[in-house]
Each structure stands twice: as structure tokens, then as C-alpha cells.
């Protein structure tokens, strides 16, 4: 049951990478939250707890959903189709994906 | 998706001489200006927090302990930590960007904010804002 939802997150994320707008990385995630452009934040599970709390606090102020990805930053980078590690990412425009509609209910 | 860096938001300054001090946003420039092409805001903050007042203190002592020293500064958004608290004091007329141009205007702006902060402190509201952040 968990494997299935995990794959579906990966599929949705791949669709966002292809068709939507996103930013990767802590600095740009905070920037997108400050300018209220971010619609969903995804954080890897090995993100340092202080950084995780900080992103969650900003997201609470902006009323944006945060999804804790079931995998570390290496896995999240691979899920994004990148060859580097991604600890947190912000989805600005989901494109064709329905990740925004399905994820916050899940999380 | 809600903008939160708005006037009257309480923030904590993270960098610079005033790191660790609490401040309130007076005016925010999301798009930046020609001189500062990044998001920044004008904040009015507390340079020196009021001391703890106890029941034993005389009137003269409470007056002395309740003094607040203020600063006015333009700070980049990256150097602020927003909080969930707000402080609604009317500082828009006293604190403006051109108050930062010359020294005497800046001193006048700081004096005005000092008066407003002190009267707010004496009412006992917004107690979080006037307590020092321990770190």
C-alpha cells in the first residue's frame, strides 16, 4: 500500500518536472515561500531537523502544504530526474500534474 | 500561498549588528528598488529590551527599567525570520525611507518609535515582542 503511493508520488513528480515549474534547493524554496509563489513543498527525510522545521514554519505562515518525501535527498534527486541530491523542492506551477490536489490530503 | 511579509508582522533580524533582535515590518518592498534590487523591508526594532520590572521597584525605577532603545533599518528578506506574531503600532508616518537619509531624521524616527514602543510595553500587550530572545 505504501509502495503504491510512493510510486505515484514519483510519477506525479516526474510529470511536474516535464510540464511544470519548480525550484530545487533550500534557498530558492524559502524565496518561493516568501514571494508566495510556491504551491507545494517536498522535503527529503534526511533533511536536517532545524532546516525542516524552518521550512515547515514558513509554509505554515503561507498556508502551503508540505510533503515529507519517503526517501533521502539522493532518492529525491533521482525522482526529479537529476544527477545531484535534492533536499527540498518547491512546486510553483504543477503543469499537467495533479500533485497539488492529491498530495496535501495524503499528507 | 498567502503573503506574510506584510506591515505589522513581527520578525527577528538574523544578520548584522542587530542579529537576534525582534523587529516589526513597517513597509515592505517585494520587488526591490533600483538601489536594492532584491526583496527588502523597512523594519523598526528593539536595540535594547526593557528590563524586568518587579513589584518592589519604585516609580522612578520602573520608569528607568521600562525604557526601550530602538533602531530603524532596511533589511533584506533573507536576513529576517518571520514569526506568527504581529504588532500593530502605527509607525507609517514616523518611519519612512527618507528618514534613513540623514542622521537627524533617523534620530527623530527612532525617538518616535521609542515613544510608541514604550507606551505599548506599558500596557502589557504584545509581551512576546518585548522579551529578549534567548539563544
Amino acid at each position: 500500500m505504501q509502495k503504491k503511493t510512493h510510486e505515484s508520488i514519483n510519477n506525479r513528480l516526474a510529470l511536474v518536472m516535464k510540464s511544470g515549474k519548480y525550484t530545487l534547493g533550500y534557498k530558492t524554496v524559502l524565496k518561493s515561500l516568501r514571494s508566495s509563489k510556491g504551491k507545494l513543498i517536498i522535503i527529503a527525510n534526511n533533511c536536517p531537523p532545524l532546516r525542516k522545521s524552518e521550512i515547515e514554519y514558513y509554509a505554515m505562515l503561507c498556508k502551503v502544504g508540505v510533503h515529507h518525501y519517503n526517501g533521502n535527498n539522493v532518492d529525491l534527486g533521482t525522482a526529479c530526474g537529476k544527477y545531484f541530491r535534492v533536499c527540498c523542492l518547491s512546486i510553483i506551477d504543477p503543469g499537467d500534474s495533479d500533485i497539488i490536489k492529491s498530495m496535501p490530503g495524503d499528507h | 500561498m498567502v503573503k506574510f511579509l506584510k506591515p505589522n508582522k513581527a520578525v527577528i533580524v538574523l544578520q548584522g549588528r542587530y542579529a537576534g533582535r525582534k523587529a516589526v515590518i513597517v513597509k515592505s518592498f517585494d520587488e526591490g528598488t533600483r538601489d536594492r534590487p532584491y526583496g527588502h523591508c523597512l523594519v523598526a526594532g528593539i536595540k535594547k529590551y526593557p528590563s524586568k520590572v518587579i513589584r518592589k521597584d519604585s516609580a522612578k525605577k520602573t520608569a528607568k527599567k521600562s525604557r526601550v532603545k530602538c533602531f530603524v533599518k532596511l533589511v533584506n528578506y533573507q536576513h529576517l525570520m518571520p514569526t506568527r506574531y504581529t504588532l500593530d503600532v502605527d509607525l507609517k508616518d514616523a518611519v519612512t525611507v527618507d528618514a534613513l537619509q540623514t542622521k537627524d531624521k533617523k534620530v527623530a524616527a527612532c525617538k518616535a518609535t521609542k515613544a510608541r514602543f514604550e507606551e505599548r510595553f506599558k500596557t502589557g500587550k504584545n509581551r512576546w515582542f518585548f522579551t529578549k530572545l534567548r539563544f
Side-chain angles (χ1 to χ4, degrees):
Chain A
M1 177 63 188
Q2 206 174 21
K3 183 108 189 284
K4 198 148 174 244
T5 52
H6 186 61
E7 281 173 7
S8 78
I9 298 167
N10 286 350
N11 293 341
R12 293 203 176 94
L13 203 50
L15 193 48
V16 173
M17 295 294 135
K18 221 171 17 174
S19 62
K21 286 202 183 52
Y22 56 91
T23 68
L24 308 173
Y26 170 66
K27 273 173 78 168
T28 56
V29 162
L30 288 187
K31 262 194 182 164
S32 73
L33 285 170
R34 273 186 217 118
S35 58
S36 58
K37 287 210 172 58
K39 308 250 182 332
L40 177 69
I41 312 292
I42 300 180
I43 307 183
N45 70 0
N46 67 343
C47 183
L50 182 62
R51 185 180 293 190
K52 181 156 58 166
S53 312
E54 190 180 0
I55 297 178
E56 284 173 354
Y57 194 82
Y58 269 79
M60 176 269 289
L61 289 174
C62 306
K63 306 199 207 310
V64 162
V66 169
H67 182 261
H68 294 101
Y69 186 72
N70 188 7
N72 61 7
N73 48 7
V74 180
D75 300 335
L76 190 49
T78 310
C80 297
K82 307 286 179 198
Y83 290 110
F84 45 81
R85 296 175 287 264
V86 170
C87 193
C88 41
L89 69 98
S90 160
I91 295 176
I92 295 173
D93 175 20
D96 299 327
S97 176
D98 62 345
I99 195 170
I100 310 276
K101 296 185 226 25
S102 57
M103 274 316 123
D106 168 338
H107 165 70
Chain B
M1 258 192 295
V2 172
K3 260 184 58 58
F4 52 87
L5 286 169
K6 290 206 276 232
N8 295 332
K9 180 65 115 177
V11 295
I12 300 178
V13 179
L14 295 174
Q15 305 275 8
R17 192 152 54 108
Y18 299 115
R21 304 274 194 273
K22 295 181 188 169
V24 62
I25 296 181
V26 176
K27 194 166 178 351
S28 63
F29 304 94
D30 287 335
E31 301 304 316
T33 58
R34 182 114 32 82
D35 325 317
R36 286 173 176 256
Y38 46 80
H40 62 285
C41 53
L42 183 61
V43 296
I46 301 183
K47 192 155 54 165
K48 193 164 171 193
Y49 289 92
S51 323
K52 204 167 181 66
V53 174
I54 52 179
R55 195 147 58 116
K56 213 165 72 157
D57 290 332
S58 61
K60 197 164 83 153
K61 225 170 181 180
T62 44
K64 197 155 191 193
K65 278 189 180 180
S66 310
R67 289 195 301 202
V68 177
K69 205 148 191 228
C70 301
F71 67 89
V72 168
K73 194 167 166 48
L74 279 171
V75 189
N76 190 345
Y77 281 160
Q78 281 203 349
H79 303 147
L80 293 174
M81 179 71 204
T83 64
R84 62 183 168 90
Y85 298 95
T86 56
L87 183 80
D88 47 356
V89 281
D90 190 20
L91 289 168
K92 275 192 298 288
D93 45 347
V95 176
T96 54
V97 176
D98 60 66
L100 291 171
Q101 309 293 32
T102 64
K103 183 94 189 220
D104 47 357
K105 279 199 228 169
K106 193 168 177 180
V107 166
C110 286
K111 278 214 175 103
T113 60
K114 177 183 160 73
R116 308 259 169 91
F117 280 171
E118 275 181 8
E119 70 171 301
R120 183 53 68 94
F121 172 65
K122 290 197 174 96
T123 64
K125 293 204 208 116
N126 306 117
R127 199 163 294 188
W128 176 85
F129 186 76
F130 293 103
T131 49
K132 193 165 168 182
L133 185 69
R134 306 281 318 194
F135 61 92

